[in-house]
Amino acid sequence: MLKAVFACFTLLSALFGSCNGQDKKNVMVNNNPLLCDPETGICELPAQQTATAPVSVRVDKKPLTITYFTDPICSTCWGIEPQLRKLKLEYGDGIHIDYHMGGLLPDWSYNSGGISKPSDVAHHWDEVSRYYQMPIDGDVWLEDPLHSSYPPSIAFKAAQLQDEKKALVFLRIIREMVFLEKKNITKWEHLSKAAIDAGLDAVKLKQDYEGPAQERFRADLELARKLGVRGFPSVYITDMTGNREFIYGFKPYAAYETGITKLYPKAGKRPYDTSWQYLFNTYPTLTTREFAELSGLSFQEADQQLLRLVHQQMLTSLVTKNGVLWKRITR
């Protein structure tokens, strides 16, 4: 049933990079939508998904609601983590981010062009990693490839049933698992560990995964269909009266600020502490690019400071072939 619901979303190319290009005049002709250029961000399905009748999305008590369609294995969604984390720090008082799963990879029945099997993805993920300066190790597709992105997506919906905040921690953990640790996050052993690490009840997560989370996931797919979502990340910013701005694919931080201030001119940046202590207290793990974005340092300056903190035994580092994940040492 899940496969039928999401037939027109099958294997959206965000799995392999950014899926931008909402303006028709910018759409590149590409017989294989799985091959996308991270520089242009143009990679869409040949048959475009169009929105149905006007759809109302959930509006939080805060002035703006951001409806975010993502997927645990969307490499470009990983690429915009620095922007989203900064957004929460600067505009968190005025925005609520509502996370929805898009169902990126139902299975590998799709077969076309240069990307038709998991091993074809490995090199592309490595390229995307270097372009976005976010560590991704594509070797997971060679060593322990995922058969689908549905299991971790449904697990996230199960986590939301327990606790929204802990669910976001869970999502971050499973992304680190697949992008950096090369773990197949369709396997329950990894999902269960991520749940425990996020402070969730792993037993209840499994029960909800096999029960109500399935329907919650189908509801996400249906909402995506109604809104005309055709790639990830897809971000809808909505004000209290229903006015909406759409941000599609990889965009710089300024694009999010523009969308927010257009709908809510009174939105003001909230000053925050850019010290490494505060940032790592807020976000337990940070990539170099995330730390640079949040601290206001250049990538090189951020890398140097983080290395010093490792030498001072303040941080630990997970070094991958395409970058580093840093974590504060708790004493």
Side-chain angles (χ1 to χ4, degrees):
M1 182 175 181
L2 289 176
K3 186 174 179 180
V5 172
F6 202 61
C8 60
F9 287 77
T10 304
L11 289 179
L12 284 169
S13 53
L15 171 61
F16 312 102
S18 175
C19 290
N20 193 0
Q22 66 197 70
D23 298 327
K24 291 184 179 180
K25 65 181 180 179
N26 290 330
V27 174
M28 169 178 67
V29 176
N30 188 343
N31 292 327
N32 186 346
L34 300 184
L35 300 176
C36 69
D37 182 348
E39 289 189 34
T40 62
I42 300 174
C43 44
E44 297 180 330
L45 291 174
Q48 293 299 321
Q49 176 82 357
T50 56
T52 58
V55 179
S56 60
V57 297
R58 169 187 169 186
V59 176
D60 191 72
K61 294 179 181 179
K62 294 185 178 182
L64 298 177
T65 295
I66 295 179
T67 305
Y68 176 31
F69 287 91
T70 184
D71 189 278
I73 64 172
C74 168
S75 56
T76 306
C77 297
W78 177 243
I80 68 166
E81 280 286 282
Q83 290 93 307
L84 293 180
R85 286 187 151 190
K86 187 173 183 179
L87 204 66
K88 292 174 183 177
L89 288 176
E90 289 198 320
Y91 294 97
D93 292 338
I95 64 171
H96 169 75
I97 303 180
D98 200 11
Y99 285 70
H100 295 270
M101 295 290 102
L104 182 59
L105 178 62
D107 54 46
W108 278 100
S109 61
Y110 179 88
N111 189 335
S112 175
I115 293 180
S116 60
K117 57 186 183 298
S119 60
D120 295 330
V121 187
H123 177 65
H124 190 82
W125 264 26
D126 290 338
E127 289 181 334
V128 169
S129 175
R130 289 188 289 271
Y131 185 79
Y132 293 126
Q133 294 183 311
M134 285 288 283
I136 304 175
D137 192 334
D139 287 353
V140 64
W141 296 104
L142 304 175
E143 299 173 8
D144 195 6
L146 290 73
H147 69 277
S148 170
S149 69
Y150 278 26
S153 297
I154 297 169
F156 172 73
K157 302 309 295 183
Q160 283 184 311
L161 289 170
Q162 281 193 51
D163 187 291
E164 288 280 351
K165 291 183 179 179
K166 290 180 180 179
L168 295 181
V169 176
F170 173 79
L171 179 60
R172 173 71 184 205
I173 292 171
I174 62 175
R175 279 181 164 152
E176 291 177 1
M177 282 181 166
V178 69
F179 290 126
L180 289 90
E181 300 174 27
K182 299 183 293 182
K183 291 181 178 177
N184 183 335
I185 56 172
T186 67
K187 296 180 177 179
W188 192 256
E189 61 189 272
H190 300 314
L191 295 173
S192 177
K193 183 180 185 305
I196 294 170
D197 290 346
L200 295 164
D201 183 333
V203 174
K204 186 177 189 312
L205 188 85
K206 185 69 179 292
Q207 293 171 343
D208 289 339
Y209 174 89
E210 295 171 346
Q214 301 276 338
E215 182 56 37
R216 291 282 294 267
F217 179 53
R218 286 193 289 269
D220 276 3
L221 301 186
E222 178 64 13
L223 179 60
R225 185 190 66 79
K226 289 180 178 179
L227 286 170
V229 172
R230 60 184 186 271
F232 312 111
S234 284
V235 175
Y236 297 85
I237 306 174
T238 309
D239 66 15
M240 299 294 286
T241 60
N243 296 312
R244 185 182 300 162
E245 288 291 312
F246 181 46
I247 301 174
Y248 190 28
F250 184 90
K251 290 292 188 297
Y253 185 70
Y256 293 88
E257 288 191 294
T258 299
I260 287 172
T261 55
K262 183 175 180 180
L263 291 176
Y264 186 53
K266 294 181 180 180
K269 291 184 181 181
R270 178 181 62 185
Y272 67 89
D273 186 350
T274 58
S275 69
W276 73 267
Q277 294 95 332
Y278 176 80
L279 295 178
F280 277 95
N281 279 338
T282 305
Y283 299 116
T285 60
L286 290 165
T287 66
T288 308
R289 182 169 163 256
E290 286 177 322
F291 184 71
E293 181 86 44
L294 301 182
S295 64
L297 299 173
S298 69
F299 189 90
Q300 183 177 9
E301 290 170 336
D303 186 58
Q304 291 173 348
Q305 182 175 351
L306 292 165
L307 283 171
R308 286 195 298 270
L309 291 168
V310 169
H311 293 153
Q312 295 167 7
Q313 298 185 333
M314 298 296 182
L315 303 178
T316 59
S317 60
L318 172 61
V319 181
T320 74
K321 68 177 183 178
N322 291 323
V324 184
L325 182 73
W326 313 85
K327 182 177 182 179
R328 184 171 186 176
I329 296 175
T330 55
R331 303 182 188 282

